Amino acid sequence: LQDKLTMIQKIIITPGIRTTHYNVTRNIYLEPRVSAIYVISEQLKLKAAWGKYNQFATRVIREDIMQGSRDFWILADDEQIPISTATHYIGGISYETKHYLFDIELYHKPMEGLTEYTSRFVPNGFGPGSTLNYEEFFYNGRGVARGLEILAQKKSGALTGWIGYTLGKVKHQFD
């Protein structure tokens, strides 16, 4: 569900909500979101957005010091493999004319329910009588992504196109 509200011809607010029924957990997940635009002039706009998002197919980072990165995807069960969640915070400014668009956005995205699989640690040892429980190789964590995105677009004339640049930093933490 989504709506678009205009207030005093200067503020445009777009609230929305998405729901997902996930068969594996038999739960319903709500994903609220809202975006806002403040029109300074016909060409210049400030914008902001917030939203909560879930991901049920989880990319598991498989860290293996002998073979390198061998990531794989798995469906979350919210027990051993948690459902990944992220909250997005975005703010920016755009300047647009008939021929050009310039856009800058900053983003901050805290994440929960990240999963890593590693065989670096062997909980029950090696040798005769030792056992390996592969479930013990899954570690759950959290992270944050932050960054800046810049876009310049030429929209008309014989030569059109755009160029974009993203500067980002992502940090994950596993206990």
Side-chain angles (χ1 to χ4, degrees):
L1 295 171
Q2 183 173 297
D3 198 3
K4 187 174 182 179
L5 311 167
T6 302
M7 298 179 203
I8 61 171
Q9 302 294 321
K10 292 272 187 192
I11 300 172
I12 303 164
I13 298 176
T14 307
I17 190 163
R18 174 187 165 143
T19 62
T20 302
H21 179 266
Y22 184 47
N23 288 344
V24 174
T25 62
R26 295 187 174 97
N27 288 332
I28 294 175
Y29 297 85
L30 300 177
E31 295 179 332
R33 57 199 67 193
V34 65
S35 66
I37 297 172
Y38 178 71
V39 180
I40 296 172
S41 69
E42 191 173 311
Q43 293 84 24
L44 190 62
K45 297 174 179 78
L46 292 177
K47 54 188 179 173
W50 172 90
K52 183 174 178 182
Y53 301 86
N54 298 299
Q55 185 168 326
F56 306 100
T58 301
R59 181 177 144 237
V60 177
I61 299 168
R62 182 181 185 269
E63 185 240 24
D64 187 328
I65 58 173
M66 300 300 286
Q67 297 179 16
S69 177
R70 303 247 181 194
D71 299 355
F72 59 94
W73 289 83
I74 191 168
L75 289 177
D77 60 8
D78 215 20
E79 292 174 14
Q80 182 179 351
I81 307 297
I83 293 168
S84 299
T85 62
T87 305
H88 296 204
Y89 302 92
I90 302 166
I93 188 167
S94 67
Y95 178 79
E96 185 171 14
T97 67
K98 181 179 176 183
H99 304 289
Y100 295 97
L101 168 67
F102 299 99
D103 191 77
I104 298 174
E105 288 185 353
L106 293 167
Y107 64 89
H108 175 78
K109 180 171 79 169
M111 300 170 282
E112 296 288 334
L114 303 177
T115 303
E116 179 180 84
Y117 176 88
T118 183
S119 56
R120 181 189 297 192
F121 308 106
V122 180
N124 296 321
F126 291 107
S130 66
T131 60
L132 292 177
N133 181 352
Y134 287 100
E135 292 179 0
E136 293 177 7
F137 294 138
F138 283 97
Y139 296 90
N140 297 323
R142 61 197 147 294
V144 64
R146 295 183 181 108
L148 166 74
E149 294 184 349
I150 301 170
L151 172 73
Q153 180 181 14
K154 185 172 184 285
K155 304 187 306 181
S156 64
L159 181 64
T160 62
W162 54 266
I163 186 167
Y165 182 78
T166 300
L167 176 65
K169 183 175 185 178
V170 179
K171 293 174 85 174
H172 291 173
Q173 179 181 350
F174 296 93
D175 295 331

